[in-house]
Amino acid sequence: MDILKDFVSLLEGEFDNSTQISELTAQGTTGFPFAEHVNTVCNEKITGIPADFHGIFLVEESYYTTNGRTHASPHLFCFTESDGVVTLTSYDIPEGCDKKTFSWKTMPPVSFSSLKVSEKFTPAEYRLKDGVWEGGSVSMFSPVLKFSLYERFSTDCLEVSESMEMNGKRTFGFDEPILYRRKKS
């Protein structure tokens, strides 16, 4: 069994929280974002990966729609595994790519040596507990700006809790996690 490949297979694909939105709407709850993830492994677009490097790079395209407006938030992540613990490291969007339009489709071939680990994001660690991967991290993007991430991944759902705090006051995030389910093709 390849732990890292099994982990990434949970994340790769197209997901949204339409089921959650339907349930919240039926309960009379409004204002929760419609969210989509398009996650694509991109190792084939990275040249010069060392033979002894066993990480898996993934482009995560996130789209959040509230009040009729959609905001894109793309990321380049690398997943590695050691002793059963999977680590997510965030990388800066490759030089020459536009953060607003970056996606797997627009990603040109990129040299492994040119990739830069994000200095702001604290790598997240995930451990398997009762068949569900759980983990996250807390990052200080500045002395007063804190980003907290907690996630649970299973074959049923990607559960994502993110929040941003400025001087201890939440400026982004929700009281409950976003529940992404794989889109049916």
Short mmCIF file of all heavy atoms in Angstrom, two decimals, residues 28-94:
data_model
loop_
_atom_site.label_atom_id
_atom_site.label_comp_id
_atom_site.label_asym_id
_atom_site.label_seq_id
_atom_site.Cartn_x
_atom_site.Cartn_y
_atom_site.Cartn_z
N GLY A 28 -32.97 27.26 6.35
CA GLY A 28 -33.14 28.70 6.41
C GLY A 28 -31.84 29.47 6.61
O GLY A 28 -31.85 30.67 6.83
N THR A 29 -30.71 28.77 6.52
CA THR A 29 -29.41 29.42 6.69
C THR A 29 -28.95 29.99 5.36
O THR A 29 -28.97 29.31 4.34
CB THR A 29 -28.36 28.41 7.20
OG1 THR A 29 -28.81 27.86 8.42
CG2 THR A 29 -27.01 29.06 7.40
N THR A 30 -28.53 31.24 5.37
CA THR A 30 -28.02 31.89 4.17
C THR A 30 -26.64 32.47 4.45
O THR A 30 -26.22 32.56 5.60
CB THR A 30 -28.96 33.02 3.71
OG1 THR A 30 -29.05 33.99 4.76
CG2 THR A 30 -30.33 32.50 3.35
N GLY A 31 -25.94 32.88 3.40
CA GLY A 31 -24.65 33.53 3.56
C GLY A 31 -23.46 32.59 3.55
O GLY A 31 -22.32 33.04 3.56
N PHE A 32 -23.71 31.28 3.56
CA PHE A 32 -22.61 30.33 3.51
C PHE A 32 -22.16 30.21 2.06
O PHE A 32 -22.99 30.17 1.15
CB PHE A 32 -23.09 28.96 4.04
CG PHE A 32 -21.99 28.07 4.53
CD1 PHE A 32 -21.42 28.28 5.78
CD2 PHE A 32 -21.52 27.03 3.76
CE1 PHE A 32 -20.41 27.47 6.25
CE2 PHE A 32 -20.51 26.20 4.22
CZ PHE A 32 -19.96 26.42 5.47
N PRO A 33 -20.87 30.18 1.79
CA PRO A 33 -20.42 30.20 0.39
C PRO A 33 -20.66 28.87 -0.33
O PRO A 33 -20.57 27.80 0.27
CB PRO A 33 -18.92 30.45 0.51
CG PRO A 33 -18.55 29.82 1.81
CD PRO A 33 -19.74 30.10 2.71
N PHE A 34 -20.96 28.97 -1.61
CA PHE A 34 -20.89 27.80 -2.48
C PHE A 34 -19.41 27.68 -2.82
O PHE A 34 -18.78 28.65 -3.27
CB PHE A 34 -21.73 27.98 -3.75
CG PHE A 34 -21.53 26.88 -4.74
CD1 PHE A 34 -21.99 25.60 -4.47
CD2 PHE A 34 -20.85 27.11 -5.92
CE1 PHE A 34 -21.80 24.56 -5.37
CE2 PHE A 34 -20.65 26.07 -6.83
CZ PHE A 34 -21.12 24.80 -6.55
N ALA A 35 -18.84 26.51 -2.60
CA ALA A 35 -17.40 26.35 -2.78
C ALA A 35 -17.10 25.16 -3.68
O ALA A 35 -17.78 24.13 -3.62
CB ALA A 35 -16.74 26.16 -1.42
N GLU A 36 -16.08 25.33 -4.50
CA GLU A 36 -15.64 24.27 -5.41
C GLU A 36 -14.13 24.11 -5.29
O GLU A 36 -13.41 25.10 -5.11
CB GLU A 36 -15.97 24.63 -6.85
CG GLU A 36 -17.44 24.79 -7.12
CD GLU A 36 -17.68 25.27 -8.53
OE1 GLU A 36 -17.66 26.50 -8.73
OE2 GLU A 36 -17.87 24.42 -9.42
N HIS A 37 -13.67 22.88 -5.41
CA HIS A 37 -12.24 22.56 -5.51
C HIS A 37 -12.03 21.76 -6.78
O HIS A 37 -12.78 20.82 -7.05
CB HIS A 37 -11.78 21.66 -4.35
CG HIS A 37 -11.37 22.36 -3.11
ND1 HIS A 37 -10.83 23.62 -3.05
CD2 HIS A 37 -11.37 21.91 -1.83
CE1 HIS A 37 -10.55 23.93 -1.80
NE2 HIS A 37 -10.87 22.91 -1.04
N VAL A 38 -11.02 22.13 -7.54
CA VAL A 38 -10.56 21.32 -8.66
C VAL A 38 -9.10 21.02 -8.34
O VAL A 38 -8.26 21.94 -8.34
CB VAL A 38 -10.69 22.05 -10.00
CG1 VAL A 38 -10.15 21.18 -11.14
CG2 VAL A 38 -12.13 22.45 -10.26
N ASN A 39 -8.81 19.78 -7.99
CA ASN A 39 -7.47 19.38 -7.54
C ASN A 39 -6.85 18.44 -8.57
O ASN A 39 -7.39 17.38 -8.85
CB ASN A 39 -7.55 18.66 -6.19
CG ASN A 39 -8.13 19.54 -5.10
OD1 ASN A 39 -7.94 20.74 -5.10
ND2 ASN A 39 -8.84 18.94 -4.17
N THR A 40 -5.67 18.84 -9.09
CA THR A 40 -5.03 18.08 -10.15
C THR A 40 -3.55 17.88 -9.86
O THR A 40 -2.83 18.85 -9.64
CB THR A 40 -5.18 18.81 -11.51
OG1 THR A 40 -6.55 19.19 -11.69
CG2 THR A 40 -4.75 17.93 -12.66
N VAL A 41 -3.12 16.63 -9.87
CA VAL A 41 -1.69 16.32 -9.71
C VAL A 41 -0.96 16.92 -10.91
O VAL A 41 -1.44 16.85 -12.05
CB VAL A 41 -1.46 14.80 -9.62
CG1 VAL A 41 0.02 14.46 -9.69
CG2 VAL A 41 -2.07 14.25 -8.32
N CYS A 42 0.20 17.54 -10.65
CA CYS A 42 0.90 18.25 -11.73
C CYS A 42 2.39 17.91 -11.83
O CYS A 42 3.16 18.68 -12.42
CB CYS A 42 0.70 19.75 -11.57
SG CYS A 42 1.40 20.43 -10.04
N ASN A 43 2.82 16.79 -11.29
CA ASN A 43 4.25 16.43 -11.36
C ASN A 43 4.76 16.41 -12.80
O ASN A 43 5.92 16.76 -13.05
CB ASN A 43 4.50 15.06 -10.72
CG ASN A 43 4.54 15.13 -9.21
OD1 ASN A 43 3.74 15.84 -8.60
ND2 ASN A 43 5.45 14.40 -8.60
N GLU A 44 3.88 16.05 -13.75
CA GLU A 44 4.31 15.98 -15.15
C GLU A 44 4.65 17.36 -15.71
O GLU A 44 5.29 17.48 -16.75
CB GLU A 44 3.25 15.29 -16.02
CG GLU A 44 2.05 16.13 -16.38
CD GLU A 44 1.00 16.31 -15.28
OE1 GLU A 44 1.16 15.75 -14.18
OE2 GLU A 44 0.01 17.03 -15.52
N LYS A 45 4.22 18.43 -15.04
CA LYS A 45 4.50 19.78 -15.50
C LYS A 45 5.75 20.37 -14.83
O LYS A 45 6.11 21.50 -15.10
CB LYS A 45 3.30 20.69 -15.25
CG LYS A 45 2.10 20.33 -16.12
CD LYS A 45 1.07 21.42 -16.13
CE LYS A 45 -0.02 21.09 -17.12
NZ LYS A 45 -0.73 22.28 -17.56
N ILE A 46 6.36 19.59 -13.96
CA ILE A 46 7.55 20.07 -13.25
C ILE A 46 8.76 19.30 -13.76
O ILE A 46 8.82 18.08 -13.66
CB ILE A 46 7.37 19.90 -11.73
CG1 ILE A 46 6.15 20.71 -11.27
CG2 ILE A 46 8.63 20.35 -10.98
CD1 ILE A 46 5.74 20.50 -9.84
N THR A 47 9.70 20.05 -14.33
CA THR A 47 10.88 19.42 -14.91
C THR A 47 12.01 19.35 -13.88
O THR A 47 12.08 20.17 -12.96
CB THR A 47 11.37 20.21 -16.15
OG1 THR A 47 11.72 21.54 -15.75
CG2 THR A 47 10.29 20.27 -17.22
N GLY A 48 12.87 18.36 -14.04
CA GLY A 48 14.05 18.26 -13.20
C GLY A 48 13.79 17.81 -11.78
O GLY A 48 14.57 18.11 -10.87
N ILE A 49 12.69 17.08 -11.55
CA ILE A 49 12.44 16.56 -10.20
C ILE A 49 13.52 15.52 -9.91
O ILE A 49 13.71 14.59 -10.70
CB ILE A 49 11.03 15.93 -10.10
CG1 ILE A 49 9.94 17.00 -10.27
CG2 ILE A 49 10.86 15.23 -8.75
CD1 ILE A 49 8.51 16.45 -10.27
N PRO A 50 14.24 15.66 -8.80
CA PRO A 50 15.30 14.70 -8.48
C PRO A 50 14.74 13.28 -8.36
O PRO A 50 13.61 13.07 -7.90
CB PRO A 50 15.83 15.18 -7.13
CG PRO A 50 15.45 16.63 -7.05
CD PRO A 50 14.15 16.74 -7.81
N ALA A 51 15.54 12.31 -8.77
CA ALA A 51 15.12 10.90 -8.75
C ALA A 51 14.75 10.44 -7.35
O ALA A 51 13.89 9.57 -7.18
CB ALA A 51 16.22 10.02 -9.34
N ASP A 52 15.39 11.02 -6.33
CA ASP A 52 15.13 10.58 -4.95
C ASP A 52 14.02 11.40 -4.27
O ASP A 52 13.78 11.24 -3.08
CB ASP A 52 16.41 10.63 -4.12
CG ASP A 52 16.99 12.03 -3.99
OD1 ASP A 52 16.55 12.94 -4.73
OD2 ASP A 52 17.88 12.22 -3.14
N PHE A 53 13.34 12.25 -5.05
CA PHE A 53 12.23 13.05 -4.50
C PHE A 53 10.93 12.28 -4.75
O PHE A 53 10.60 11.96 -5.89
CB PHE A 53 12.17 14.42 -5.17
CG PHE A 53 11.06 15.29 -4.64
CD1 PHE A 53 11.20 16.00 -3.47
CD2 PHE A 53 9.85 15.39 -5.33
CE1 PHE A 53 10.19 16.79 -2.98
CE2 PHE A 53 8.83 16.18 -4.85
CZ PHE A 53 9.00 16.88 -3.66
N HIS A 54 10.20 12.00 -3.70
CA HIS A 54 8.99 11.18 -3.83
C HIS A 54 7.71 11.94 -3.50
O HIS A 54 6.69 11.33 -3.20
CB HIS A 54 9.12 9.93 -2.95
CG HIS A 54 10.32 9.12 -3.28
ND1 HIS A 54 10.44 8.42 -4.46
CD2 HIS A 54 11.48 8.94 -2.61
CE1 HIS A 54 11.62 7.82 -4.50
NE2 HIS A 54 12.27 8.12 -3.38
N GLY A 55 7.76 13.26 -3.56
CA GLY A 55 6.57 14.06 -3.28
C GLY A 55 5.63 14.11 -4.47
O GLY A 55 6.00 13.82 -5.61
N ILE A 56 4.39 14.49 -4.18
CA ILE A 56 3.37 14.66 -5.22
C ILE A 56 2.90 16.11 -5.17
O ILE A 56 2.39 16.58 -4.15
CB ILE A 56 2.19 13.70 -5.01
CG1 ILE A 56 2.66 12.24 -5.09
CG2 ILE A 56 1.09 13.98 -6.04
CD1 ILE A 56 1.57 11.22 -4.78
N PHE A 57 3.08 16.82 -6.30
CA PHE A 57 2.62 18.20 -6.42
C PHE A 57 1.17 18.20 -6.92
O PHE A 57 0.80 17.36 -7.75
CB PHE A 57 3.49 18.98 -7.40
CG PHE A 57 4.83 19.36 -6.83
CD1 PHE A 57 5.92 18.53 -7.01
CD2 PHE A 57 4.98 20.54 -6.13
CE1 PHE A 57 7.15 18.86 -6.49
CE2 PHE A 57 6.22 20.88 -5.60
CZ PHE A 57 7.31 20.05 -5.78
N LEU A 58 0.39 19.15 -6.42
CA LEU A 58 -1.02 19.24 -6.78
C LEU A 58 -1.41 20.71 -6.90
O LEU A 58 -1.06 21.51 -6.03
CB LEU A 58 -1.85 18.56 -5.69
CG LEU A 58 -3.35 18.51 -5.90
CD1 LEU A 58 -3.85 17.08 -5.66
CD2 LEU A 58 -4.05 19.42 -4.92
N VAL A 59 -2.08 21.04 -7.98
CA VAL A 59 -2.68 22.37 -8.13
C VAL A 59 -4.08 22.30 -7.55
O VAL A 59 -4.88 21.46 -7.96
CB VAL A 59 -2.73 22.83 -9.60
CG1 VAL A 59 -3.50 24.14 -9.73
CG2 VAL A 59 -1.33 22.98 -10.18
N GLU A 60 -4.35 23.16 -6.58
CA GLU A 60 -5.70 23.26 -6.01
C GLU A 60 -6.31 24.57 -6.50
O GLU A 60 -5.81 25.64 -6.18
CB GLU A 60 -5.66 23.25 -4.48
CG GLU A 60 -7.06 23.42 -3.88
CD GLU A 60 -7.02 23.60 -2.38
OE1 GLU A 60 -7.05 22.59 -1.67
OE2 GLU A 60 -6.96 24.77 -1.93
N GLU A 61 -7.38 24.44 -7.28
CA GLU A 61 -8.14 25.61 -7.73
C GLU A 61 -9.38 25.68 -6.85
O GLU A 61 -10.22 24.78 -6.90
CB GLU A 61 -8.53 25.46 -9.19
CG GLU A 61 -7.37 25.26 -10.13
CD GLU A 61 -7.83 24.79 -11.50
OE1 GLU A 61 -8.80 25.37 -12.04
OE2 GLU A 61 -7.22 23.84 -12.01
N SER A 62 -9.48 26.71 -6.04
CA SER A 62 -10.64 26.88 -5.16
C SER A 62 -11.44 28.08 -5.64
O SER A 62 -10.88 29.11 -5.99
CB SER A 62 -10.18 27.12 -3.71
OG SER A 62 -9.48 26.01 -3.23
N TYR A 63 -12.75 27.90 -5.64
CA TYR A 63 -13.67 28.96 -6.06
C TYR A 63 -14.75 29.09 -4.99
O TYR A 63 -15.38 28.10 -4.62
CB TYR A 63 -14.31 28.63 -7.41
CG TYR A 63 -13.28 28.37 -8.49
CD1 TYR A 63 -12.87 27.08 -8.79
CD2 TYR A 63 -12.71 29.42 -9.19
CE1 TYR A 63 -11.91 26.84 -9.77
CE2 TYR A 63 -11.75 29.20 -10.18
CZ TYR A 63 -11.36 27.91 -10.46
OH TYR A 63 -10.41 27.67 -11.43
N TYR A 64 -14.93 30.31 -4.50
CA TYR A 64 -15.93 30.59 -3.47
C TYR A 64 -16.91 31.61 -4.01
O TYR A 64 -16.50 32.68 -4.47
CB TYR A 64 -15.26 31.15 -2.20
CG TYR A 64 -14.19 30.23 -1.65
CD1 TYR A 64 -12.85 30.41 -1.96
CD2 TYR A 64 -14.54 29.17 -0.82
CE1 TYR A 64 -11.88 29.57 -1.46
CE2 TYR A 64 -13.57 28.32 -0.31
CZ TYR A 64 -12.25 28.52 -0.63
OH TYR A 64 -11.28 27.67 -0.14
N THR A 65 -18.20 31.29 -3.96
CA THR A 65 -19.22 32.19 -4.46
C THR A 65 -20.14 32.60 -3.31
O THR A 65 -20.75 31.75 -2.65
CB THR A 65 -20.06 31.53 -5.57
OG1 THR A 65 -19.18 31.12 -6.62
CG2 THR A 65 -21.10 32.49 -6.12
N THR A 66 -20.20 33.90 -3.06
CA THR A 66 -21.14 34.48 -2.09
C THR A 66 -21.75 35.72 -2.71
O THR A 66 -21.07 36.47 -3.41
CB THR A 66 -20.44 34.86 -0.75
OG1 THR A 66 -19.30 35.66 -1.03
CG2 THR A 66 -20.03 33.64 0.04
N ASN A 67 -23.03 35.89 -2.46
CA ASN A 67 -23.76 37.05 -2.98
C ASN A 67 -23.55 37.24 -4.48
O ASN A 67 -23.40 38.35 -4.97
CB ASN A 67 -23.35 38.32 -2.23
CG ASN A 67 -23.63 38.22 -0.76
OD1 ASN A 67 -24.63 37.66 -0.34
ND2 ASN A 67 -22.71 38.74 0.05
N GLY A 68 -23.49 36.12 -5.23
CA GLY A 68 -23.37 36.19 -6.68
C GLY A 68 -21.97 36.50 -7.19
O GLY A 68 -21.77 36.63 -8.40
N ARG A 69 -21.00 36.65 -6.30
CA ARG A 69 -19.63 36.96 -6.72
C ARG A 69 -18.72 35.78 -6.43
O ARG A 69 -18.75 35.23 -5.33
CB ARG A 69 -19.12 38.21 -6.01
CG ARG A 69 -19.95 39.45 -6.37
CD ARG A 69 -19.39 40.69 -5.78
NE ARG A 69 -18.07 40.93 -6.39
CZ ARG A 69 -17.20 41.79 -5.92
NH1 ARG A 69 -17.46 42.48 -4.85
NH2 ARG A 69 -16.04 41.96 -6.52
N THR A 70 -17.90 35.42 -7.42
CA THR A 70 -16.99 34.28 -7.26
C THR A 70 -15.56 34.79 -7.11
O THR A 70 -15.12 35.66 -7.87
CB THR A 70 -17.09 33.33 -8.47
OG1 THR A 70 -18.45 32.85 -8.55
CG2 THR A 70 -16.15 32.16 -8.33
N HIS A 71 -14.88 34.23 -6.14
CA HIS A 71 -13.48 34.56 -5.86
C HIS A 71 -12.65 33.30 -6.06
O HIS A 71 -12.97 32.25 -5.49
CB HIS A 71 -13.35 35.06 -4.42
CG HIS A 71 -11.94 35.19 -3.96
ND1 HIS A 71 -11.11 36.20 -4.38
CD2 HIS A 71 -11.20 34.43 -3.12
CE1 HIS A 71 -9.94 36.06 -3.81
NE2 HIS A 71 -9.95 34.98 -3.04
N ALA A 72 -11.62 33.39 -6.89
CA ALA A 72 -10.73 32.25 -7.13
C ALA A 72 -9.54 32.32 -6.18
O ALA A 72 -9.04 33.41 -5.88
CB ALA A 72 -10.23 32.26 -8.57
N SER A 73 -9.11 31.16 -5.71
CA SER A 73 -7.96 31.09 -4.81
C SER A 73 -7.14 29.84 -5.16
O SER A 73 -7.36 28.78 -4.61
CB SER A 73 -8.44 31.03 -3.35
OG SER A 73 -7.34 30.96 -2.48
N PRO A 74 -6.20 29.98 -6.11
CA PRO A 74 -5.40 28.83 -6.51
C PRO A 74 -4.17 28.64 -5.62
O PRO A 74 -3.65 29.61 -5.04
CB PRO A 74 -4.98 29.19 -7.93
CG PRO A 74 -4.89 30.69 -7.93
CD PRO A 74 -5.96 31.15 -6.96
N HIS A 75 -3.72 27.40 -5.52
CA HIS A 75 -2.55 27.08 -4.71
C HIS A 75 -1.76 25.97 -5.39
O HIS A 75 -2.31 25.15 -6.12
CB HIS A 75 -2.95 26.59 -3.32
CG HIS A 75 -3.72 27.61 -2.54
ND1 HIS A 75 -3.13 28.67 -1.90
CD2 HIS A 75 -5.04 27.73 -2.32
CE1 HIS A 75 -4.05 29.39 -1.31
NE2 HIS A 75 -5.23 28.85 -1.56
N LEU A 76 -0.46 25.94 -5.09
CA LEU A 76 0.39 24.84 -5.50
C LEU A 76 0.89 24.18 -4.22
O LEU A 76 1.54 24.83 -3.39
CB LEU A 76 1.58 25.34 -6.34
CG LEU A 76 2.60 24.27 -6.76
CD1 LEU A 76 1.94 23.20 -7.63
CD2 LEU A 76 3.77 24.92 -7.50
N PHE A 77 0.54 22.92 -4.04
CA PHE A 77 0.92 22.17 -2.85
C PHE A 77 1.81 21.00 -3.23
O PHE A 77 1.73 20.48 -4.33
CB PHE A 77 -0.32 21.61 -2.13
CG PHE A 77 -1.24 22.66 -1.57
CD1 PHE A 77 -2.60 22.57 -1.79
CD2 PHE A 77 -0.78 23.72 -0.80
CE1 PHE A 77 -3.47 23.50 -1.26
CE2 PHE A 77 -1.65 24.66 -0.27
CZ PHE A 77 -2.99 24.55 -0.50
N CYS A 78 2.62 20.58 -2.27
CA CYS A 78 3.37 19.35 -2.41
C CYS A 78 3.10 18.49 -1.19
O CYS A 78 3.14 18.99 -0.05
CB CYS A 78 4.88 19.63 -2.52
SG CYS A 78 5.83 18.12 -2.79
N PHE A 79 2.80 17.23 -1.43
CA PHE A 79 2.53 16.28 -0.36
C PHE A 79 3.69 15.29 -0.28
O PHE A 79 4.14 14.76 -1.31
CB PHE A 79 1.22 15.53 -0.62
CG PHE A 79 0.02 16.43 -0.60
CD1 PHE A 79 -0.42 17.02 -1.77
CD2 PHE A 79 -0.64 16.68 0.58
CE1 PHE A 79 -1.52 17.87 -1.75
CE2 PHE A 79 -1.75 17.52 0.61
CZ PHE A 79 -2.18 18.12 -0.55
N THR A 80 4.16 15.07 0.93
CA THR A 80 5.21 14.08 1.19
C THR A 80 4.75 13.21 2.35
O THR A 80 3.82 13.58 3.08
CB THR A 80 6.55 14.76 1.52
OG1 THR A 80 6.35 15.67 2.61
CG2 THR A 80 7.10 15.51 0.32
N GLU A 81 5.41 12.07 2.51
CA GLU A 81 5.01 11.16 3.59
C GLU A 81 6.25 10.62 4.28
O GLU A 81 7.26 10.32 3.63
CB GLU A 81 4.20 9.99 3.00
CG GLU A 81 3.69 9.00 4.03
CD GLU A 81 4.63 7.84 4.29
OE1 GLU A 81 5.36 7.47 3.36
OE2 GLU A 81 4.65 7.32 5.42
N SER A 82 6.19 10.54 5.60
CA SER A 82 7.26 9.96 6.39
C SER A 82 6.65 9.29 7.61
O SER A 82 5.90 9.94 8.36
CB SER A 82 8.27 11.04 6.82
OG SER A 82 9.29 10.48 7.61
N ASP A 83 6.94 8.03 7.79
CA ASP A 83 6.46 7.26 8.95
C ASP A 83 4.94 7.36 9.14
O ASP A 83 4.45 7.49 10.26
CB ASP A 83 7.18 7.71 10.23
CG ASP A 83 8.67 7.44 10.18
OD1 ASP A 83 9.06 6.40 9.60
OD2 ASP A 83 9.45 8.25 10.71
N GLY A 84 4.20 7.35 8.02
CA GLY A 84 2.75 7.37 8.09
C GLY A 84 2.13 8.74 8.26
O GLY A 84 0.91 8.87 8.29
N VAL A 85 2.95 9.79 8.35
CA VAL A 85 2.45 11.16 8.47
C VAL A 85 2.61 11.84 7.12
O VAL A 85 3.69 11.84 6.53
CB VAL A 85 3.23 11.95 9.55
CG1 VAL A 85 2.76 13.40 9.60
CG2 VAL A 85 3.08 11.29 10.91
N VAL A 86 1.51 12.40 6.60
CA VAL A 86 1.55 13.12 5.33
C VAL A 86 1.67 14.61 5.64
O VAL A 86 0.94 15.14 6.48
CB VAL A 86 0.28 12.83 4.49
CG1 VAL A 86 0.26 13.71 3.23
CG2 VAL A 86 0.21 11.36 4.11
N THR A 87 2.61 15.25 4.95
CA THR A 87 2.84 16.69 5.15
C THR A 87 2.48 17.44 3.88
O THR A 87 2.87 17.05 2.78
CB THR A 87 4.32 16.96 5.50
OG1 THR A 87 4.63 16.26 6.71
CG2 THR A 87 4.58 18.45 5.70
N LEU A 88 1.71 18.51 4.04
CA LEU A 88 1.34 19.42 2.96
C LEU A 88 2.23 20.65 3.09
O LEU A 88 2.20 21.32 4.12
CB LEU A 88 -0.13 19.82 3.07
CG LEU A 88 -0.70 20.84 2.09
CD1 LEU A 88 -2.21 20.71 2.04
CD2 LEU A 88 -0.33 22.26 2.40
N THR A 89 3.01 20.93 2.05
CA THR A 89 3.83 22.12 2.00
C THR A 89 3.28 23.00 0.89
O THR A 89 3.04 22.53 -0.22
CB THR A 89 5.31 21.76 1.71
OG1 THR A 89 5.76 20.86 2.74
CG2 THR A 89 6.19 23.00 1.70
N SER A 90 3.08 24.27 1.19
CA SER A 90 2.57 25.21 0.19
C SER A 90 3.75 25.86 -0.53
O SER A 90 4.75 26.23 0.09
CB SER A 90 1.72 26.28 0.88
OG SER A 90 1.19 27.18 -0.07
N TYR A 91 3.59 26.00 -1.84
CA TYR A 91 4.59 26.67 -2.66
C TYR A 91 4.00 27.95 -3.24
O TYR A 91 2.79 28.03 -3.47
CB TYR A 91 5.03 25.76 -3.82
CG TYR A 91 6.04 24.72 -3.39
CD1 TYR A 91 5.67 23.63 -2.62
CD2 TYR A 91 7.38 24.84 -3.75
CE1 TYR A 91 6.60 22.69 -2.22
CE2 TYR A 91 8.32 23.90 -3.35
CZ TYR A 91 7.92 22.83 -2.58
OH TYR A 91 8.84 21.89 -2.19
N ASP A 92 4.87 28.93 -3.49
CA ASP A 92 4.43 30.14 -4.18
C ASP A 92 4.00 29.76 -5.59
O ASP A 92 4.54 28.82 -6.19
CB ASP A 92 5.56 31.17 -4.25
CG ASP A 92 5.95 31.73 -2.88
OD1 ASP A 92 5.12 31.66 -1.94
OD2 ASP A 92 7.08 32.24 -2.76
N ILE A 93 3.04 30.50 -6.13
CA ILE A 93 2.66 30.30 -7.53
C ILE A 93 3.91 30.55 -8.37
O ILE A 93 4.65 31.52 -8.12
CB ILE A 93 1.51 31.28 -7.92
CG1 ILE A 93 0.26 31.03 -7.08
CG2 ILE A 93 1.22 31.20 -9.41
CD1 ILE A 93 -0.36 29.66 -7.23
N PRO A 94 4.21 29.68 -9.33
CA PRO A 94 5.46 29.84 -10.10
C PRO A 94 5.59 31.22 -10.73
O PRO A 94 4.61 31.82 -11.16
CB PRO A 94 5.35 28.75 -11.17
CG PRO A 94 4.44 27.72 -10.57
CD PRO A 94 3.46 28.50 -9.74
#
